[in-house]
Amino acid sequence: MTNRRRFLTALLAPPVFAGRGEARPESSPAPMPSRVPPWPEENDPAFWDRIRDQFYITPGEAFFNTGTIGATPRPVLERVIEDMRTLQATVTRWDYTANTPNWISGYSPELPLREKLGKLVNAEGRDLALTQNATFGMNFLAQGFDLKAGDEVITTDQEHPGGVCGWRERVKRDGISWKQVKMPIPANDPDRLVELFAEAMTSRTRVLAFPHIISPSAVVMPAKRLTQLAHQHGCLSLVDGAQALGQVKVDLQDIGCDAYFSSPHKWLLAPAGNGMFYIRRELQDKVWTTLCSQEWDNHNDGMYRFMQYGTGNRSLQAGLDAALDFHFRIGPERVRQRIRSLADRLRKGLERIPRSKISSPVHPDLAGAVVVHGIEGVPAAKLEQELWQRRRIRVRSMGDQLGVRQSCQIYNSEAEVDATLDVVRDLAASA
Ligand SMILES: Cc1ncc(COP(=O)(O)O)c(C=O)c1O
């Protein structure tokens, strides 16, 4: 079947509703015509091309910036739109009883969704809060602990502002101390990374706060070993997983960390406006919540205390639910293998190009689905621009020291990786 025919067939396909299992309210509007193509057979040789059809990304354009925001799958977006439209059509019928759906977030525990998310990260639903992004989690932690002047927090020197600025505020407000571990570029020695943190620790250290995957240099940090190090010294291990959820395996029990937060709108492909926040059960009562409404002091439902942010858009949570369905339908391990193999192909190709440099790890334990690369003598912004202008490939510049960040996702292909290599080869030869 030609692509065009396949696309047209897809447009005529029956509606896809990856629902939360709620009954649709009586006389809700007719569902909008589905724009979701049929799901491919497991063994379809063109499986990943068909998965690519599940996205609205313009044909002929390659999106490699999942590290900033993931593209939303069609069934996920359609679910959000349908949810919002149904609210508008049925808002008069909302009488707050159990028979009508609740249309806002911020006032209900949403336990089934927390439990579904928990299946992905090996945690119980009650130990997870649904927030709005990673920044929420970081701030809840930085503001929620009783730290005093002189207590020390250690981070890397490559934190995203949304992973660190709450600690910086505590420095200014309360006089806590903040130390940054200088990360090697590229980082290719896991033992050395742990040593660097060990060397930085002092008797005043209370917290190790580090990314599971570093945003600019894409290092998959040895989170379990760093957590063990923190615990050996009686410190907390707080992990910023904004880039990790959906990119690498996140097993919260195995990592053993005290807290973890993430932004499912990146690698899990949920709509923006969703966040995941975990605190180990034994520690939950020691953390103050700093965003309070009705249930701020409810210690009977684990992390629900951290979901008191007032009225939010529940349709976005429906989108998170649909994104989890989408991820589980492909299979988390299959996703991880696919995106890793694309990144490996890119790394191997770049290694063969003279003057090309890779700033992200190539060590298998530290490398993920993101490759940060540049060309000697070529500004990163120019490489970003040339990739777009020549081949419609969207990457993101991380500055001249690092290069461009290329995030390989399930909507990318071997052909797109090879097109990247063609552009790099050509620029490197003429630079
Ligand atoms: C490592 C890391 N932490 C935190 C954030 C902030 O995420 P958000 O803006 O979704 O809160 C990002 C965003 O890129 C990130 O990469």
Side-chain angles (χ1 to χ4, degrees), residues 116-325:
K116 190 184 274 193
L117 185 57
K119 290 201 178 93
L120 185 63
V121 296
N122 193 13
E124 284 185 37
R126 55 164 285 150
D127 296 329
L128 297 175
L130 303 174
T131 60
Q132 288 175 18
N133 50 44
T135 305
F136 266 60
M138 178 273 295
N139 275 284
F140 276 135
L141 292 170
Q143 309 299 336
F145 284 108
D146 287 326
L147 296 173
K148 57 183 187 316
D151 286 348
E152 186 175 73
V153 175
I154 298 182
T155 71
T156 72
D157 66 341
Q158 290 181 20
E159 302 294 331
H160 186 282
V164 78
C165 288
W167 300 111
R168 296 182 58 187
E169 204 227 21
R170 294 294 303 267
V171 171
K172 194 164 180 186
R173 194 177 71 177
D174 297 322
I176 70 164
S177 150
W178 171 43
K179 191 186 279 175
Q180 300 174 78
V181 170
K182 188 166 173 45
M183 296 294 297
I185 295 175
N188 277 314
D189 180 350
D191 294 341
R192 184 65 195 135
L193 292 188
V194 180
E195 275 167 23
L196 285 171
F197 275 83
E199 286 163 14
M201 293 179 83
T202 67
S203 58
R204 291 180 306 138
T205 309
R206 300 283 171 270
V207 174
L208 292 194
F210 57 89
H212 194 171
I213 301 183
I214 292 184
S215 181
S217 61
V219 185
V220 181
M221 296 287 274
K224 184 173 180 175
R225 290 179 66 189
L226 290 174
T227 295
Q228 287 165 347
L229 176 73
H231 290 171
Q232 278 156 19
H233 289 77
C235 301
L236 295 168
S237 160
L238 312 181
V239 185
D240 171 356
Q243 296 284 345
L245 192 65
Q247 183 184 166
V248 294
K249 187 167 186 175
V250 177
D251 182 333
L252 294 172
Q253 306 316 313
D254 183 56
I255 296 171
C257 55
D258 297 293
Y260 194 101
F261 51 88
S262 185
S263 284
H265 61 255
K266 293 180 187 288
W267 293 86
L268 197 58
L269 310 178
N274 283 293
M276 184 192 89
F277 180 37
Y278 161 86
I279 302 179
R280 187 166 56 80
R281 181 151 325 162
E282 303 70 41
L283 193 68
Q284 284 168 12
D285 283 344
K286 298 204 173 73
V287 187
W288 289 96
T289 182
T290 42
L291 199 47
C292 299
S293 187
Q294 179 76 23
E295 303 292 333
W296 71 275
D297 206 19
N298 173 356
H299 291 256
N300 298 321
D301 178 6
M303 295 294 285
Y304 184 37
R305 277 194 303 127
F306 297 92
M307 294 168 61
Q308 304 300 309
Y309 36 74
T311 303
N313 186 342
R314 190 165 185 256
S315 303
L316 296 176
Q317 290 182 344
L320 172 61
D321 190 88
L324 283 162
D325 289 343

